[in-house]
């Protein structure tokens, strides 16, 4: 079956711009996670959803970052007023429920110039 | 708060040699433990996981890991390295409430001919 997909695969933007990153989880997976991975580091947790609600957003670095999952399936990570330090690979994962194996998407590489 | 340490950011072994990648964790509650592999330009893939039961866990591609509570360790091993094992390996821990998913910094495995 189809895995987790993320679009776009690459995004180049200028400092100060707004970006949206999309995640399509595996059908039927109720839990959805966002991570950020900088070069040479492990994934850093940002936020996870159980259904439509953000169960834990404690990993979001500041209020420029926001994520939604309005229908409990597709999720969008939104970054306002992007900064060069936001450049990273943004990973999305989904699981049947919290605590189960997470299946990861290929990531979106964000570059802020 | 949970944390994960991986001793050795880069490990090199000869083809056919034993692979040992170390992972130690801290957790205030019984953890679920995972090893993920990331091949170049690919997404994270689950190698194996420990939740409950048998402490020696077997995964894909001949890898296995043993949960040692007294040592708070979950080291990954493979008896004989293959060139195709060259990748980045991440240890991760989640508490048994399904929250606080934390990745280690990763270990890059090189396999020499």
């Amino acid at each position: 079956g189809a895995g987790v997909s993320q679009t776009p695969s690459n995004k180049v933007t200028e400092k100060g711009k707004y970006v949206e990153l999309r995640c399509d989880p595996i059908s039927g997976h109720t839990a959805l996670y966002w991570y950020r991975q900088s070069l040479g580091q492990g994934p850093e947790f940002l936020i996870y959803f159980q259904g439509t609600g953000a169960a834990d957003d404690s990993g979001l670095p500041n209020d420029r970052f926001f994520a939604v999952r309005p229908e409990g399936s597709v999720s969008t990570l939104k970054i306002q007023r992007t900064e060069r330090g936001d450049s990273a690979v943004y990973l999305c994962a989904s699981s049947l429920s919290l605590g189960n194996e997470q299946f990861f998407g290929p990531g979106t590489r964000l570059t802020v110039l | 708060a949970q944390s994960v340490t991986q001793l050795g950011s880069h490990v090199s072994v000869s083809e056919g040699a034993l692979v040992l990648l170390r992972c130690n964790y801290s957790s205030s509650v019984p953890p679920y433990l995972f090893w993920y592999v990331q091949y170049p330009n690919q997404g994270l893939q689950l190698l194996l996981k420990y939740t409950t039961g048998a402490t020696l866990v077997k995964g894909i591609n001949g890898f296995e890991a043993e949960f040692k509570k007294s040592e708070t360790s979950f080291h990954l091993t493979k008896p004989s390295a293959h060139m195709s094992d060259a990748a980045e390996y991440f240890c991760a821990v989640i508490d048994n409430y399904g929250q606080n998913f934390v990745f280690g910094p990763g270990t890059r495995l090189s396999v020499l001919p």
Side-chain angles (χ1 to χ4, degrees), chain B residues 13-19 63 78-85 109-112:
Chain B
V13 300
S14 298
E15 191 173 20
L18 171 71
V19 176
F63 284 92
K78 181 175 180 178
S80 177
H82 191 273
M83 297 295 287
S84 61
D85 294 327
L109 175 66
S110 296
V111 181
L112 308 174

Side-chain angles (χ1 to χ4, degrees), chain B residues 34-103:
Chain B
F34 303 80
W35 275 100
Y36 283 85
V37 61
Q38 188 172 34
Y39 297 102
N41 299 316
Q42 293 187 29
L44 287 151
Q45 179 183 1
L46 182 70
L47 271 179
L48 49 77
K49 65 178 180 180
Y50 168 81
T51 54
T52 58
T55 57
L56 181 62
V57 181
K58 295 185 184 298
I60 61 172
N61 301 337
F63 284 92
E64 61 183 37
E66 186 171 11
F67 169 57
K68 292 187 176 180
K69 183 179 179 181
S70 62
E71 298 177 7
T72 60
S73 70
F74 191 57
H75 301 330
L76 182 70
T77 60
K78 181 175 180 178
S80 177
H82 191 273
M83 297 295 287
S84 61
D85 294 327
E88 188 90 18
Y89 291 80
F90 295 95
C91 182
V93 62
I94 188 171
D95 68 32
N96 62 358
Y97 303 116
Q99 300 180 19
N100 301 313
F101 203 90
V102 178
F103 278 86

Side-chain angles (χ1 to χ4, degrees), chain A residues 33 35 37 39-45 48 55-56 58 89 91 98-107 109, chain B residues 32 34 36 38 41-46 49 51 88 90 94-95 97-106 108:
Chain A
Y33 307 77
Y35 296 87
Q37 187 176 21
L39 193 63
Q41 298 182 23
E44 172 194 6
F45 168 78
Y48 75 70
D56 183 353
S58 62
V89 175
L91 298 170
L98 287 174
N100 288 103
E101 173 187 352
Q102 296 184 22
F103 293 83
F104 282 81
R109 182 176 298 279
Chain B
Y32 293 166
F34 303 80
Y36 283 85
Q38 188 172 34
N41 299 316
Q42 293 187 29
L44 287 151
Q45 179 183 1
L46 182 70
K49 65 178 180 180
T51 54
E88 188 90 18
F90 295 95
I94 188 171
D95 68 32
Y97 303 116
Q99 300 180 19
N100 301 313
F101 203 90
V102 178
F103 278 86
R108 180 171 299 278

Side-chain angles (χ1 to χ4, degrees), chain A residues 21-67:
Chain A
L21 312 179
R22 176 186 168 107
C23 172
D24 280 87
I26 293 173
S27 178
H29 281 193
T30 62
L32 184 145
Y33 307 77
W34 283 100
Y35 296 87
R36 177 169 68 176
Q37 187 176 21
S38 299
L39 193 63
Q41 298 182 23
E44 172 194 6
F45 168 78
L46 296 177
I47 184 172
Y48 75 70
F49 292 86
Q50 178 62 39
T52 60
D56 183 353
D57 64 358
S58 62
L60 295 177
N62 51 60
D63 62 5
R64 295 187 297 106
F65 288 75
F66 189 70

